[in-house]
Amino acid sequence: MKITRRQMLGACAAATLARPVWAGVTLEMGQVKIETLSDGHLVLPRAFMLGDAPQPEADEILLLQGVEGQSFTPPCNLTLLRDGTNTILFDAGSGPGFQPTAGKLLAALDAVGVSPGEVTHVVFTHGHPDHLWGVLDDFDEPLFAEAQYLMGADEFAYWRDPDTLAAIGPARQAFAVGARRRLDLLAERITEIKDGQEILPGVTAQATYGHTPGHMSYVLHQGSDSVMVLGDAVANAHLAFLRPGWHWGSDQDPDQAAQARVALLDQIVQDKMRLIGFHLPGPGIGRAEKAPDGYRFIAEA
């Protein structure tokens, strides 16, 4: 697998965004090019992220990594795959309606010379706002007008279920309303996919349920090379690698998410796969390796 390092800094589209609009590592597997695109970053309450993680151990680990304060500011790294025929975008970013520090995907696409009309497929990991809400333009039309859309069947059913709004809890009710509105508008254009299905050449879906009820990760493979697009199955580099069995507040089913995370990291290490994490630092591309009590994330240089 050939790796090239590029950094292209785009102008900030909003004063609230102090980070580059796009910065990425490019992976090449034969004729396949894989790169990350920045949609900006989120600002999330510390309590929401940590959930019921054991204290004071969680705070001590964070301090050792230089993480202080009452909020996290995770980056949002989308994955773009081009194979000469298909231009595949994994997730659609948050658009302008979620947080002012996010929704920068159009600038990122422009930085790598791709227009929305050139995207042939949009493949969703799950239906949370920072992954789905950017799929429509200001007129509620699909932003990627020529694309086919793919989502896990269980995830698609969950967000369109009328009972989800009442069951999801007050903190996430806006997520449910926003997801259902967008998925209802896209319903006729969405292909539902299953665990283990090769959804496109060299792209296989892998169920990693728990962060949401139908969360999917994706294995990108070409010959003996492979890369795992994690989505939010491993949602932070500070604690989720070192303590993958802990519960995080961002996961809708913490028990199921922890089981999926441990199994996924075991697989990645065993198979010596690279990984791409939506909320991992830098461009989000790297490796996992075993550590005494869990794993550690090694970013690509």
Side-chain angles (χ1 to χ4, degrees):
M1 180 183 294
K2 182 180 177 182
I3 308 172
T4 60
R5 175 68 176 174
R6 305 200 315 270
Q7 289 195 358
M8 299 172 60
L9 306 183
C12 180
T16 51
L17 182 61
R19 304 177 182 180
V21 176
W22 180 85
V25 170
T26 298
L27 305 180
E28 294 179 359
M29 299 190 302
Q31 299 302 308
V32 175
K33 178 188 287 189
I34 303 165
E35 55 201 322
T36 54
L37 306 174
S38 173
D39 193 45
H41 69 277
L42 303 181
V43 180
L44 300 173
R46 186 184 183 100
F48 174 79
M49 289 295 293
L50 292 183
D52 60 358
Q55 299 291 343
E57 185 179 357
D59 285 335
E60 291 171 354
I61 294 173
L62 289 171
L63 281 174
L64 288 173
Q65 299 181 69
V67 180
E68 301 182 69
Q70 295 306 307
S71 63
F72 285 95
T73 56
C76 299
N77 305 307
L78 284 75
T79 300
L80 183 73
L81 182 155
R82 288 180 276 182
D83 63 8
T85 300
N86 298 311
T87 298
I88 305 168
L89 184 64
F90 292 84
D91 292 323
S94 65
F98 184 49
Q99 292 195 3
T101 53
K104 315 305 178 186
L105 177 59
L106 286 179
L109 284 167
D110 185 63
V112 295
V114 175
S115 71
E118 293 176 285
V119 174
T120 61
H121 301 82
V122 179
V123 179
F124 296 106
T125 60
H126 64 296
H128 278 168
D130 49 329
H131 298 257
L132 172 64
W133 284 17
V135 77
L136 299 179
D137 64 18
D138 292 341
F139 302 97
D140 278 351
E141 296 291 337
L143 179 62
F144 308 100
E146 304 302 318
Q148 301 176 45
Y149 298 85
L150 300 92
M151 177 178 270
D154 290 339
E155 186 77 357
F156 184 62
Y158 172 77
W159 291 111
R160 298 189 75 209
D161 185 341
D163 294 333
T164 295
L165 182 62
I168 199 171
R172 290 186 171 92
Q173 284 184 338
F175 293 10
V177 172
R180 183 170 182 183
R181 184 173 76 82
R182 288 163 176 82
L183 293 177
D184 281 351
L185 288 169
L186 290 173
E188 293 184 358
R189 302 181 60 163
I190 288 183
T191 298
E192 299 178 49
I193 59 179
K194 297 288 188 179
D195 178 35
Q197 179 181 347
E198 185 171 27
I199 61 172
L200 291 163
V203 181
T204 299
Q206 180 168 324
T208 45
Y209 295 0
H211 181 70
T212 59
H215 186 285
M216 284 284 191
S217 299
Y218 297 94
V219 182
L220 315 183
H221 47 90
Q222 183 82 8
S224 61
D225 289 331
S226 58
V227 181
M228 179 73 77
V229 177
L230 300 173
D232 283 2
V234 184
N236 70 78
H238 308 304
L239 290 165
F241 284 88
L242 287 172
R243 302 292 185 269
W246 282 6
H247 289 178
W248 308 116
S250 60
D251 293 331
Q252 291 185 217
D253 185 329
D255 283 325
Q256 188 180 35
Q259 293 171 13
R261 188 161 45 247
V262 170
L264 187 63
L265 289 171
D266 280 344
Q267 174 189 352
I268 288 168
V269 170
Q270 179 69 32
D271 294 346
K272 298 180 180 179
M273 303 172 68
R274 282 188 171 84
L275 58 86
I276 303 176
F278 194 90
H279 293 305
L280 298 186
I285 300 177
R287 294 184 181 275
E289 65 178 29
K290 286 290 291 183
D293 294 319
Y295 304 84
R296 63 173 59 92
F297 173 61
I298 309 298
E300 294 286 3

